[in-house]
Amino acid sequence: MIGLNNAQSEFSDEYLQDVSMRYPWVIGTSLYGEKHYNWYSNMPIGWALAFGEQFLSDMDSAIKTLSQEEQGSFAILQIKEKFGILRVYVNFRNKNIQNVLDTYEDISEKTCIRCGSSATHTTTCGWIIPLCDNCDK
């Protein structure tokens, strides 16, 4: 995908470990069966820089509206970019979780995927991605 970095390639292992301690629900099994996988590390770096911490905080608040049993089994199944929008797949959701996911899908569409600045347009060079003028040079 045309030179996009994710949070894992840009953030330190210590930072990602801190994220997993504060938000244990980001840890799951990767699509390749890797245990203890930090799904936050898949978020494109521009989005992680622009709104990653707020996304984590808002998701944590929404997850706390679930029953104790649901909170204990809540899991992120995948975080990725798809068609220029942040996609977060979870094992189940309620209205609060859906509102957070919808909000950050909307924000991601207007945020440069590479640097986190306001996206001025969407590029379609085989991939639909939101970019600012500087990153599209």
Side-chain angles (χ1 to χ4, degrees), residues 66 69-71 73-75 77 90-94 97:
L66 298 170
E69 182 180 336
E70 291 169 330
Q71 286 180 44
S73 60
F74 179 85
L77 305 175
V90 297
N91 59 342
F92 57 85
R93 62 190 73 208
N94 64 12
I97 291 170

Side-chain angles (χ1 to χ4, degrees), residues 114-126:
R114 288 188 179 152
C115 73
S117 297
S118 293
T120 54
H121 61 283
T122 302
T123 298
T124 58
C125 299

Side-chain angles (χ1 to χ4, degrees), residues 18-132:
D18 177 61
V19 166
S20 65
M21 295 295 287
R22 289 183 289 139
Y23 306 107
W25 45 265
V26 302
I27 301 300
T29 303
S30 77
L31 297 175
Y32 305 104
E34 178 185 350
K35 301 287 186 194
H36 308 292
Y37 185 77
N38 185 331
W39 278 109
Y40 180 65
S41 68
N42 271 33
M43 185 178 286
I45 190 62
W47 294 343
L49 292 170
F51 58 77
E53 282 288 337
Q54 190 61 52
F55 165 78
L56 292 170
S57 177
D58 290 350
M59 276 297 290
D60 199 54
S61 295
I63 291 165
K64 289 177 180 169
T65 67
L66 298 170
S67 71
Q68 288 291 350
E69 182 180 336
E70 291 169 330
Q71 286 180 44
S73 60
F74 179 85
I76 288 184
L77 305 175
Q78 190 175 27
I79 293 179
K80 66 181 184 177
E81 170 278 325
K82 185 172 184 178
F83 302 120
I85 297 173
L86 176 67
R87 299 288 189 204
V88 179
Y89 300 98
V90 297
N91 59 342
F92 57 85
R93 62 190 73 208
N94 64 12
K95 179 183 69 150
N96 297 311
I97 291 170
Q98 188 61 52
N99 287 341
V100 171
L101 297 177
D102 290 346
T103 295
Y104 286 96
E105 282 183 9
D106 291 344
I107 292 170
S108 68
E109 189 173 28
K110 301 171 190 110
T111 305
C112 180
I113 198 167
R114 288 188 179 152
C115 73
S117 297
S118 293
T120 54
H121 61 283
T122 302
T123 298
T124 58
C125 299
W127 294 93
I128 300 169
I129 58 171
L131 294 172
C132 66

